[in-house]
Amino acid sequence: MSFHTTLRKGASSVFLRIEEALDGPFGGADNPLRHLGALGLYLLWIIVGSGLYLYTVLDTGIDAVYNSIGYLSVEQWYLGGVLRSLHRYASDGFMLVMTLHLIREWCYGRYYGFRLYSWITGVPLLWLAYISGIGGYWIVWDQLAQLSATATAELLDWLPIFSEPSARNFLTPDSISDRFFTMLVFIHIGVPLLLILGLWAHVHRISHVDYLPTRRVMLATLLALIVLSLLQPALSNPPANLAVIPGDLDFDWFILFIHPLTDLTSPAIVWLLLFALTALLVALPLLPHPPPEPVAVVDAANCTGCDRCLADCPYAAISMQPHPLRPGFKLAVVDSDLCAACGICAGSCPSSTPFRRRETLVTGIDMPQQPVHALREQLEQTLTGLSGPRRVVVFACARGADASGLAAADTVVMPLLCAGMLPPSFVEYALRGGADGVLLNTCRPGGCDFRLGDRWTRERLAGEREPHLRRTVPAARLQLSAAAAGDESTLSAALDDLRTRLDNEALAGEPLPPYLRRASNHA
């Protein structure tokens, strides 16, 4: 195992423990670490909204803007001051969330294969975000802006891009004019527009994107930012004066950390670090990683063009095209570069029901490494071998808790590529094939490696999404568990709960009538 793999797995273990610890007070849906992308986009909208208001009410001009924003911060603290502070702290939060999102995706190995496009398009966003943040401090044109602008000019002068040193523009007070303010506005408005465009490119190959976190998370985040804005309002430092050296200043380490780093080292070392980090992020997908899994395969003769697979695919890997053999019908087409090999599409296909009488079950879309036919054959074989008063079938996501320890004479364990690949009809098929109960384990809410497997599974079983579990299936004979890797005790407790219900005949309800697929007189 390489050093990089060891480091990444160690970091992912730490990150996972923190995530799971936060599941307790917040729950999976509201856990901020499980929804960093959505939280970052929400903070960006706060930044944009507050920034637009500030820009419309501020006086333009390098001298007038300082007095104007000072008036808003002090005299109109209840509106302009709060919005200025909100703009500042939301920007810091965006930088923090963006960095954590990058680290999290690296920890979990989400930077190659079908995720390559999202990873590569995310790298330039780092540069755009920090350029926007640094440029925002310059507009105020106080002593902190003076320090940042001068330090940035000296940093840029190290690169051979200017015919004359740009730092000369900050030697005397007369060298700064309103034209400089126009440039600052362009940087602080134009670059964020590029950032928003880049974010669209970053997620446009992902289906069902969480553009916003849950309402509770949004309200809590906004409330926290407002409270922080009231308790610690963002205020300007003394006005910029190029004739003097700035003194002690209130510093923003989330955005302006690069300036102290330059002072401690040198412009050459800072650029070396920045370019090396960027090159490393771009090169990560080229490092050795597990080979890709076989992608989903479409069988044209069995595809009805219903587009359920299109609706459920987490990564927009499926498109619908005219059927080559059936005029007027559509055919699902899989983009192998985008397919995550999760099998969620197979779980959504109406032809994946095990109740079909065909000896060889060929479905409209399927996974070569775990076809629905093989799943049905395995289930039928294992059901005949179960013994005991309460026979249970455990369908478990292979990326969740290890369910192998639950296997016993009265319990069969069937691992799945993803819980979302299991057609709900398999639950009824197991109950009518001899099982007394079914336990289905997914990853924790918000923790699915394929984003939507746990969500689609819950909605299908609840009858909120097609294909759904029929209402004739006794709810007491089905146990849905959400146990991630390391949560084996949680999974075992879920099985105990199911067995307790099954031991109570009145609580469990009547068993379903048996079904024999090969019986010739079956209606």
Side-chain angles (χ1 to χ4, degrees):
M1 185 179 295
S2 66
F3 171 75
H4 170 254
T5 303
T6 303
L7 177 64
R8 184 176 60 78
K9 288 189 174 182
S12 65
S13 178
V14 173
F15 215 106
L16 183 61
R17 297 286 83 82
I18 297 174
E19 278 187 9
E20 293 178 346
L22 293 178
D23 278 341
F26 293 104
D30 297 331
N31 189 335
L33 286 185
R34 295 195 185 276
H35 305 279
L36 289 171
L39 184 57
L41 287 172
Y42 174 60
L43 290 171
L44 180 61
W45 293 127
I46 294 178
I47 296 168
V48 171
S50 57
L52 287 175
Y53 173 82
L54 293 173
Y55 179 70
T56 56
V57 300
L58 287 178
D59 294 334
T60 58
I62 199 64
D63 294 323
V65 68
Y66 179 84
N67 296 326
S68 178
I69 201 167
Y71 170 83
L72 288 176
S73 302
V74 178
E75 301 297 331
Q76 201 192 66
W77 63 268
Y78 52 86
L79 178 59
V82 169
L83 286 176
R84 180 193 178 184
S85 300
L86 201 64
H87 189 74
R88 154 78 180 276
Y89 294 127
S91 299
D92 289 343
F94 179 77
M95 297 300 182
L96 176 62
V97 167
M98 179 181 63
T99 303
L100 289 176
H101 180 62
L102 171 69
I103 296 174
R104 184 177 188 268
E105 298 305 288
W106 168 74
C107 284
Y108 294 154
R110 298 171 181 173
Y111 53 83
Y112 60 87
F114 61 93
R115 294 185 174 99
L116 175 63
Y117 176 84
S118 295
W119 177 266
I120 293 298
T121 55
V123 174
L125 301 182
L126 299 172
W127 284 85
L128 294 174
Y130 279 101
I131 292 173
S132 301
I134 292 175
Y137 274 95
W138 297 359
I139 290 182
V140 181
W141 202 235
D142 58 1
Q143 289 189 4
L144 181 59
Q146 174 187 336
L147 183 150
S148 177
T150 304
T152 303
E154 293 174 350
L155 190 63
L156 290 173
D157 285 341
W158 187 85
L159 299 174
I161 56 178
F162 298 110
S163 58
E164 296 182 359
S166 60
R168 293 181 180 178
N169 295 319
F170 303 99
L171 293 178
T172 63
D174 295 337
S175 60
I176 299 299
S177 65
D178 288 348
R179 293 177 59 188
F180 179 66
F181 180 79
T182 303
M183 182 193 71
L184 298 185
V185 171
F186 171 77
I187 293 175
H188 196 52
I189 295 181
V191 176
L193 290 176
L194 294 177
L195 175 62
I196 294 174
L197 180 62
L199 284 170
W200 171 83
H202 182 59
V203 301
H204 93 280
R205 286 192 175 185
I206 301 176
S207 301
H208 307 282
V209 177
D210 291 329
Y211 290 104
L212 292 173
T214 63
R215 182 175 299 179
R216 290 185 295 271
V217 172
M218 288 192 292
L219 291 176
T221 301
L222 182 60
L223 179 61
L225 291 174
I226 292 176
V227 170
L228 182 60
S229 299
L230 292 172
L231 295 178
Q232 190 68 34
L235 300 173
S236 301
N237 289 281
N241 185 351
L242 296 179
V244 299
I245 299 176
D248 294 334
L249 305 172
D250 293 331
F251 204 77
D252 186 348
W253 291 93
F254 286 96
I255 297 177
L256 303 179
F257 67 89
I258 195 171
H259 301 322
L261 180 61
T262 306
D263 292 337
L264 290 174
T265 57
S266 68
I269 292 178
V270 169
W271 282 118
L272 178 63
L273 290 175
L274 292 176
F275 289 141
L277 178 60
T278 303
L280 176 62
L281 294 177
V282 173
L284 273 178
L286 302 178
L287 298 179
H289 50 74
E293 294 286 339
V295 301
V297 176
V298 176
D299 184 88
N302 288 275
C303 177
T304 62
C306 67
D307 76 12
R308 287 183 187 173
C309 56
L310 169 67
D312 283 5
C313 180
Y315 297 99
I318 298 175
S319 59
M320 305 303 297
Q321 298 182 7
H323 201 294
L325 304 177
R326 303 169 66 185
F329 287 82
K330 293 183 178 180
L331 176 70
V333 178
V334 178
D335 187 334
S336 59
D337 292 333
L338 300 180
C339 182
C342 60
I344 290 177
C345 54
S348 69
C349 185
S351 65
S352 294
T353 172
F355 288 99
R356 292 175 64 190
R357 298 291 300 278
R358 297 181 59 173
E359 193 66 27
T360 300
L361 181 55
V362 181
T363 63
I365 189 167
D366 213 340
M367 302 307 300
Q369 62 271 50
Q370 193 174 22
V372 175
H373 170 74
L375 193 64
R376 184 178 71 172
E377 291 292 309
Q378 181 186 2
L379 178 59
E380 291 176 347
Q381 293 172 7
T382 54
L383 284 174
T384 59
L386 282 178
S387 61
R390 295 291 177 262
R391 294 164 293 182
V392 176
V393 174
V394 179
F395 295 104
C397 175
R399 296 173 181 259
D402 184 6
S404 59
L406 302 180
D410 59 355
T411 305
V412 60
V413 177
M414 299 185 62
L416 305 169
L417 297 175
C418 172
M421 76 160 292
L422 184 72
S425 52
F426 265 81
V427 174
E428 181 180 355
Y429 196 75
L431 293 175
R432 296 183 65 177
D436 297 296
V438 172
L439 171 62
L440 176 55
N441 185 60
T442 71
C443 296
R444 293 192 181 196
C448 176
D449 273 5
F450 303 113
R451 298 181 52 243
L452 302 174
D454 62 307
R455 176 180 168 186
W456 289 168
T457 299
R458 291 193 303 270
E459 292 184 6
R460 290 169 183 170
L461 295 180
E464 300 171 355
R465 192 174 191 86
E466 295 293 342
H468 65 270
L469 184 65
R470 295 203 300 182
R471 296 181 179 179
T472 54
V473 177
R477 294 185 177 272
L478 170 63
Q479 179 80 14
L480 183 61
S481 173
D487 292 341
E488 283 72 27
S489 59
T490 302
L491 183 58
S492 179
L495 180 59
D496 292 339
D497 289 343
L498 175 61
R499 290 194 177 283
T500 300
R501 289 202 308 272
L502 295 178
D503 288 337
N504 188 329
E505 294 287 353
L507 186 62
E510 292 295 326
L512 291 174
Y515 174 85
L516 300 176
R517 179 171 57 87
R518 293 180 176 87
S520 58
N521 61 344
H522 181 76

